[in-house]
Amino acid sequence: MWPEHGKPGFCEFLECVNAKMLELNLLLLRMIMESYGVGEYYKSKAFGDNTVNNFRAMKYKVPKSKNEEGIGLGPHVDKTILTFLCDDSVRGLEALTQDGIWISLHIPKGALLVMVGDALEVLSNGRLQAAKHRVIMSGEKERYSCAFYTIPKDGAGIEVPQELVDEDHPLLYRPFVYSEYLEKHLTNTNFDALQVHAGI
Ligand SMILES: O=C(O)CCC(=O)C(=O)O
Ligand SMILES: [Fe+2]
């Protein structure tokens, strides 16, 4: 599967990057949970051993006709806790604002874009909302991107920390096993997939 041929060490390199991304991802997640005063929840239940990281490299083709736009990736929210993205500076990634406007996102060279996934929407009881995004291709250059997704591992439960439920923030999601949600809704790109599965 890996292009070991002519690229010795590629596989180890990728595994090493992926492990570092998981580390960074968990650090960020801990900081977020601590900022909400639920660092203990993070330590005890949520992550560390209960979280895994996936890596995906993507290539987006140039649209068939010169003056047209092509959908590289349809509108969706990530079914992750957090996603890190980087690209080759060819534009295409767009995010949907609260006002319903698609805006183009630029990821500076050497930077990572951090995207909130729907699992983090649960863990923050809606304080953070999963980013609605898509990829639209135009122009004459193909686009390459890399994504590092952090998800609760197979069989791991996910629930709203009790401390994050109050009068201003009523409970939004019931506890559920994240991999069961993925099994049912992996190909469901509707923005409300999580709401349908575990919403109250
Ligand atoms: O290629 C990109 O910039 C976005 C990829 C993406 O949204 C995804 O993999 O979920
Ligand atoms: Fe995405």
Side-chain angles (χ1 to χ4, degrees):
M1 178 173 180
W2 299 106
E4 279 297 342
H5 223 58
K7 287 256 180 241
F10 180 76
C11 186
E12 278 110 70
F13 169 75
L14 213 51
E15 276 170 6
C16 176
V17 173
N18 205 38
K20 288 281 169 214
M21 289 296 165
L22 178 59
E23 228 175 89
L24 186 62
N25 222 312
L26 290 174
L27 175 68
L28 202 58
L29 187 59
R30 176 155 61 84
M31 288 165 69
I32 292 170
M33 297 309 270
E34 280 176 359
S35 77
Y36 290 131
V38 288
E40 280 314 307
Y41 175 88
Y42 166 85
K43 274 192 216 143
S44 65
K45 299 205 197 132
F47 306 98
D49 291 347
N50 275 332
T51 309
V52 288
N53 214 42
N54 286 330
F55 163 80
R56 188 162 71 176
M58 285 156 282
K59 175 183 176 180
Y60 298 94
K61 290 188 184 149
V62 175
K64 285 203 179 89
S65 113
K66 230 181 177 185
N67 300 319
E68 259 178 41
E69 288 190 330
I71 300 224
L73 195 59
H76 66 284
V77 297
D78 286 358
K79 293 185 172 66
T80 61
I81 302 171
L82 284 172
T83 302
F84 288 164
L85 284 173
C86 55
D87 63 19
D88 61 354
S89 298
V90 174
R91 294 277 184 136
L93 181 61
E94 296 184 351
L96 188 64
T97 66
Q98 302 270 20
D99 305 325
I101 297 163
W102 287 102
I103 51 164
S104 170
L105 298 178
H106 167 57
I107 309 175
K109 205 167 187 261
L112 287 171
L113 185 133
V114 179
M115 192 86 81
V116 171
D118 62 4
L120 189 50
E121 185 163 328
V122 176
L123 294 170
S124 65
N125 197 23
R127 286 167 177 79
L128 292 174
Q129 289 181 11
K132 296 169 177 136
H133 58 287
R134 67 180 185 182
V135 176
I136 297 291
M137 290 298 294
S138 60
E140 290 168 34
K141 274 191 178 166
E142 53 200 18
R143 175 172 184 268
Y144 289 87
S145 69
C146 287
F148 300 87
Y149 314 96
T150 307
I151 53 170
K153 81 172 181 198
D154 233 16
I158 176 163
E159 62 184 301
V160 173
Q162 227 176 302
E163 296 87 335
L164 297 188
V165 180
D166 56 38
E167 255 178 43
D168 295 333
H169 303 92
L171 182 67
L172 293 180
Y173 299 99
R174 59 173 179 77
F176 62 101
V177 173
Y178 202 74
S179 46
E180 288 175 5
Y181 161 61
L182 284 186
E183 261 167 46
K184 273 195 193 154
H185 294 277
L186 194 61
T187 55
N188 177 358
T189 52
N190 292 339
F191 293 146
D192 67 348
L194 185 69
Q195 184 62 37
V196 168
H197 186 77
I200 286 180

